[in-house]
Amino acid sequence: MTDHTTDPRTAASARPATASHATETAFLGLGPKDFRLLLIVIALTMLAPFLLNPFPAGSELAQFNAGYPDLMQRFVIFGIFAIGFNILFGLTGYLSFGHAAFLGVGSYAAIWMMKLLTMNVIPAIVLSVIVAGIFALLVGFISLRRSGIYFSILTLAFAQMSYALAYSVLTPITGGETGLQAKINDPRILDPGAGQSLGRANLFGLEMGSSYNLQIGDWSFTFNAGYYLAAIVMLVGFYLAIRLFRSPFGMMLRAVKSNQQRMNYTGLNSRPYTLAAFVISGMYAGLAGGLMVAMDTQVGPERMFWTASGEVVLMTILGGAGTLIGPVLGAGMIKYMENIVSKINDNILHQWFSFLPDGLEDALVAIVYPFIGKGWNLTLGIVFMLVVIFLPGGLVQGGQKVARLFRRNNRKGGGAESEAAKKQPAE
Amino acid sequence: MGILEVKNVGKRFGGLKALDNVNLSVQENTVHAIIGPNGAGKSTLLNCLIGKLIPDTGSVMFDGQSVLGRKPHEINQMGISRVFQTPEIFGDLTVFENVMIPIFARRDGAFALHAFKQVMNDRDIRERTEAMLADVNMLDKRDAHAASLSRGDKRRLEMAMCLSQQPKLLLLDEPTAGMARADTNNTIDLLKEIKAKRDITMCIIEHDMHVVFSLAERITVLAQGTPLVEDVPDNIKGHPKVREAYLGTAH
Ligand SMILES: Nc1ncnc2c1ncn2[C@@H]1O[C@H](COP(=O)(O)OP(=O)(O)OP(=O)(O)O)[C@@H](O)[C@H]1O
Ligand SMILES: [Mg+2]
């Protein structure tokens, strides 16, 4: 994408920090800063059942708890989707509007593995990545002949085509409108108990749906096997993404975004670089699709609808395109709003504002009402607009601004701060 | 036979003959300057050499091989690097990264999938980049954003990027435009130094006659898409045809 000029200041804050000196390697081939980031993300995902359930079970605020398996799974699965999308969009600037197609294809591949082979999720997940990768190779090969808006339109066209095909012509493979789900009479040739009972998705016997409940006082925390599997997969995906960001390949992808002409006149063929990025991000999408099936053994074509492709764009931009952690944050924020804000109804609002005089209460409820329940999209839209206008670098840039504010205050307090930290804000 | 042989090259833009039957032969290991008034077709000629434009007629041979029909990155990999009239750099990247990229391109070829190595842990590349930046006196700006550099620094950076590839033929399109006098002199010294150190052919377009006469061993004068004269600098200085082209006295 040659002809969009970015404001160097915003680009600076959104750009992954790279010091141009030899990087000390802390562990796992990561620099100290990246390693710290990875540790933080590991801690957050492993402790998520606690962190997302801060309110006692029976309390008023319990509806803001997000620590139930279904939602936690969605956080990490969409996190994977967004991490992969960011490798393409964040680094190369190529905006795909059809990534849901790869998610959908991955899902179909996974469900077929479960129907034909086994309810063990490993073959399903592996195949979903492979099939999505092959499909991405095809779509990318054609779409990457154009850049800018034409590229976006081509990917959108492919995705909508896939959606329509899954809905109609391909019904024998996709189940059409009703989609596919695990059934009792599936062959499942590797499963001993096939044909007798409905199999459950499992990892060598550990059922994805199995949960352990921990009760501490009024608080209740749920530890779900499926969540932890998806979380570990996400951590591996996140780790690989950091490695990619800091690699020569990652640098070349940023060069594509910055000045593709110069890249070509420098002896680099930008096409295979963008195609590799496209395939890798398609594989992440397929992985997310496979995990969705592993958590909930069914698929429908709506998974490939264009709104699903748009959602991952929003997640990435909201969190901070081109940053490491941004897309995961964006995915979490959107899924939280979709599931929590949408649950609030007018009764709850009346309860909140009940301390006010009746007239005022009704007026306030009337004002807030359009933003909750089914209106959560409106809230999301407004948040998105505010972020894009005031924080072009996404939530990550917001976090950096806050961190800088704190640091400045600290310095006023007398503590000498390292200049390096100021120059290279951590993500 | 020169290292670069341009034969009967013509290029039209609509009704405008930007290049009209251009013949040019650049000898190996020389500095060849192309001068001429604005709009003479100098940049267009370079565009035809690097695959940015395809000439309507004629042939371009480099190192015994035809350049026409090859993609820009293939032409670069043959050994031609170009500094553009308006700096073409990676604005979002740091100065250091800007220089690392061409060095990677020269070492690893047009495409290499190193997605699991740390870019900064490649000692060979890092040292070559540091040496190059030291040569152009930009080591102190290594972490600066390329887009934030001054116009002169951008040019110096682009020159460093091209030189770091150790090209056989270096094309320079007004390399000192927008530079302060001191930087212009530094650039002249740098190019002389490079020239003395190793085998390199340079083709330089320049309006600054001080630069031209400091560096060039041969000069071609281009006007309205055709070469008027080609000679050694001393013969070009007072040449009536050259004055005519620049001042438009005749007719
Ligand atoms: N892509 C293009 N499309 C149409 N006309 C062009 C194009 N590129 C160059 N021209 C025209 O061709 C002529 C030669 O342009 P060129 O840029 O080669 O001149 P130049 O000798 O480099 O001049 P200057 O010293 O100003 O850089 C000019 O009249 C210019 O307007
Ligand atoms: Mg020019």
Side-chain angles (χ1 to χ4, degrees):
Chain A
M1 315 247 291
T2 49
D3 49 15
H4 68 219
T5 42
T6 27
D7 178 358
R9 276 163 305 155
T10 61
S13 48
R15 207 180 54 82
T18 29
S20 67
H21 303 267
T23 322
E24 321 146 46
T25 310
F27 195 49
L28 291 172
L30 299 181
K33 246 177 209 164
D34 292 337
F35 187 61
R36 209 177 332 134
L37 179 69
L38 180 67
L39 285 184
I40 292 171
V41 175
I42 290 175
L44 290 178
T45 40
M46 289 298 125
L47 298 176
F50 292 111
L51 300 172
L52 294 174
N53 260 7
F55 307 111
S59 72
E60 283 267 296
L61 292 169
Q63 60 203 320
F64 290 108
N65 281 342
Y68 54 96
D70 185 41
L71 182 54
M72 287 196 298
Q73 288 165 3
R74 247 174 284 166
F75 282 151
V76 286
I77 290 174
F78 279 92
I80 293 170
F81 192 18
I83 289 170
F85 185 76
N86 188 43
I87 290 173
L88 179 69
F89 174 57
L91 291 179
T92 70
Y94 275 83
L95 176 57
S96 162
F97 247 110
H99 253 50
F102 307 124
L103 185 116
V105 166
S107 288
Y108 283 116
I111 194 90
W112 274 114
M113 278 288 110
M114 291 189 148
K115 282 166 136 346
L116 298 176
L117 273 188
T118 167
M119 291 302 277
N120 189 330
V121 296
I122 296 292
I125 292 172
V126 170
L127 195 77
S128 66
V129 175
I130 295 171
V131 172
I134 293 169
F135 189 49
L137 186 66
L138 174 81
V139 174
F141 184 78
I142 296 167
S143 304
L144 287 165
R145 294 179 174 271
R146 292 280 169 271
S147 62
I149 187 81
Y150 301 101
F151 166 79
S152 303
I153 297 292
L154 279 170
T155 51
L156 175 64
F158 266 110
Q160 283 303 85
M161 221 153 66
S162 311
Y163 166 76
L165 287 177
Y167 222 97
S168 56
V169 186
L170 293 179
T171 301
I173 332 176
T174 62
E177 192 179 344
T178 44
L180 294 172
Q181 42 284 121
K183 295 232 171 74
I184 292 184
N185 54 1
D186 288 336
R188 283 161 47 203
I189 50 175
L190 295 181
D191 282 355
Q196 290 148 28
S197 61
L198 185 65
R200 287 166 198 268
N202 64 78
L203 179 71
F204 304 109
L206 173 66
E207 284 185 15
M208 292 294 100
S210 61
S211 292
Y212 168 73
N213 265 309
L214 176 68
Q215 202 75 32
I216 303 179
D218 286 341
W219 281 266
S220 136
F221 305 104
T222 312
F223 301 87
N224 169 259
Y227 167 72
Y228 276 99
L229 174 71
I232 289 167
V233 172
M234 188 203 77
L235 289 172
V236 173
F238 185 62
Y239 167 71
L240 292 176
I242 303 181
R243 292 295 300 256
L244 189 149
F245 265 59
R246 302 299 185 230
S247 70
F249 178 66
M251 183 172 72
M252 296 306 178
L253 296 185
R254 284 187 289 128
V256 170
K257 181 177 183 176
S258 185
N259 190 341
Q260 198 168 342
Q261 296 265 345
R262 174 31 99 191
M263 200 177 164
N264 291 331
Y265 296 124
T266 301
L268 293 159
N269 190 358
S270 53
R271 185 75 60 76
Y273 280 103
T274 47
L275 185 58
F278 194 89
V279 170
I280 291 171
S281 84
M283 288 165 84
Y284 270 83
L287 177 64
L291 280 169
M292 277 183 188
V293 170
M295 301 301 133
D296 180 13
T297 50
Q298 54 160 334
V299 201
E302 73 289 339
R303 206 164 276 186
M304 307 204 271
F305 198 54
W306 65 269
T307 50
S309 295
E311 196 180 48
V312 75
V313 180
L314 294 192
M315 287 171 177
T316 307
I317 294 176
L318 188 66
T323 64
L324 285 170
I325 192 67
V328 184
L329 294 180
M333 175 137 183
I334 288 184
K335 284 295 147 191
Y336 186 84
M337 289 175 74
E338 179 187 271
N339 289 279
I340 304 294
V341 177
S342 66
K343 265 194 325 204
I344 306 169
N345 57 32
D346 51 343
N347 284 333
I348 297 171
L349 281 187
H350 276 289
Q351 274 174 30
W352 287 356
F353 299 123
S354 61
F355 63 94
L356 295 166
D358 268 358
L360 203 57
E361 178 188 327
D362 289 343
L364 255 176
V365 170
I367 293 171
V368 179
Y369 185 70
F371 296 94
I372 53 151
K374 288 214 172 78
W376 76 273
N377 275 309
L378 181 60
T379 316
L380 175 64
I382 291 172
V383 169
F384 186 74
M385 281 193 283
L386 290 176
V387 166
V388 169
I389 293 168
F390 295 106
L391 296 171
L395 297 174
V396 166
Q397 193 194 6
Q400 284 171 350
K401 276 192 176 166
V402 173
R404 227 168 294 154
L405 222 82
F406 270 105
R407 233 173 278 150
R408 207 170 303 150
N409 286 345
N410 272 353
R411 200 153 342 156
K412 261 188 231 146
E417 268 279 341
S418 74
E419 282 297 301
K422 195 182 78 186
K423 260 201 304 206
Q424 297 279 338
E427 310 218 327
Chain B
M1 274 288 278
I3 189 167
L4 180 72
E5 290 285 340
V6 176
K7 289 234 163 69
N8 307 323
V9 162
K11 182 75 195 171
R12 276 174 169 279
F13 295 116
L16 177 82
K17 268 191 190 166
L19 293 176
D20 188 10
N21 209 19
V22 174
N23 288 290
L24 178 73
S25 172
V26 177
Q27 299 306 310
E28 200 164 354
N29 295 330
T30 60
V31 179
H32 196 124
I34 300 171
I35 61 172
N38 290 113
K42 305 181 297 291
S43 298
T44 304
L45 179 59
L46 291 200
N47 288 343
C48 291
L49 306 184
I50 61 157
K52 192 172 183 180
L53 288 177
I54 299 167
D56 303 332
T57 59
S59 69
V60 180
M61 301 289 284
F62 172 71
D63 223 2
Q65 286 178 298
S66 175
V67 154
L68 303 184
R70 287 180 202 255
K71 299 220 174 73
H73 69 266
E74 293 167 341
I75 295 173
N76 175 279
Q77 292 285 352
M78 289 167 78
I80 304 182
S81 290
R82 172 175 179 184
V83 174
F84 285 82
Q85 192 167 349
T86 41
E88 289 278 350
I89 52 177
F90 301 110
D92 301 335
L93 274 56
T94 65
V95 167
F96 204 80
E97 288 169 327
N98 266 273
V99 180
M100 273 198 289
I101 289 172
I103 297 179
F104 267 114
R106 185 46 35 108
R107 193 190 69 181
D108 297 347
F111 174 72
L113 188 63
H114 296 310
F116 211 64
K117 293 200 289 195
Q118 276 226 50
V119 69
M120 288 313 299
N121 287 353
D122 195 322
R123 218 171 129 201
D124 168 43
I125 298 273
R126 210 176 61 233
E127 284 172 0
R128 282 206 251 168
T129 307
E130 274 164 4
M132 190 66 239
L133 283 175
D135 280 350
V136 293
N137 279 325
M138 286 187 82
L139 258 182
D140 54 325
K141 301 195 174 82
R142 56 191 286 163
D143 291 330
H145 247 234
S148 70
L149 297 178
S150 70
R151 206 166 125 83
D153 277 349
K154 280 182 184 158
R155 238 167 230 302
R156 268 200 298 170
L157 173 60
E158 196 183 8
M159 203 154 356
M161 291 163 74
C162 290
L163 287 171
S164 72
Q165 295 201 302
Q166 313 209 325
K168 289 186 208 154
L169 173 63
L170 178 63
L171 305 172
L172 299 143
D173 199 343
E174 304 192 21
T176 65
M179 274 191 193
R181 192 81 240 174
D183 283 337
T184 301
N185 287 332
N186 284 341
T187 304
I188 294 173
D189 292 344
L190 172 70
L191 291 174
K192 277 185 174 161
E193 222 173 275
I194 299 279
K195 187 80 206 354
K197 246 193 264 178
R198 54 187 201 84
D199 290 352
I200 186 169
T201 312
M202 295 187 195
C203 200
I204 180 166
I205 292 175
E206 195 44 87
H207 285 297
D208 185 338
M209 289 304 139
H210 170 58
V211 178
V212 171
F213 287 108
S214 307
L215 288 167
E217 291 157 67
R218 276 197 91 76
I219 299 178
T220 297
V221 183
L222 204 67
Q224 290 167 13
T226 14
L228 286 183
V229 264
E230 191 198 311
D231 214 327
V232 293
D234 284 342
N235 295 344
I236 295 285
K237 263 179 192 156
H239 205 289
K241 269 194 172 177
V242 178
R243 297 177 57 175
E244 180 190 313
Y246 269 95
L247 303 171
T249 41
H251 311 302

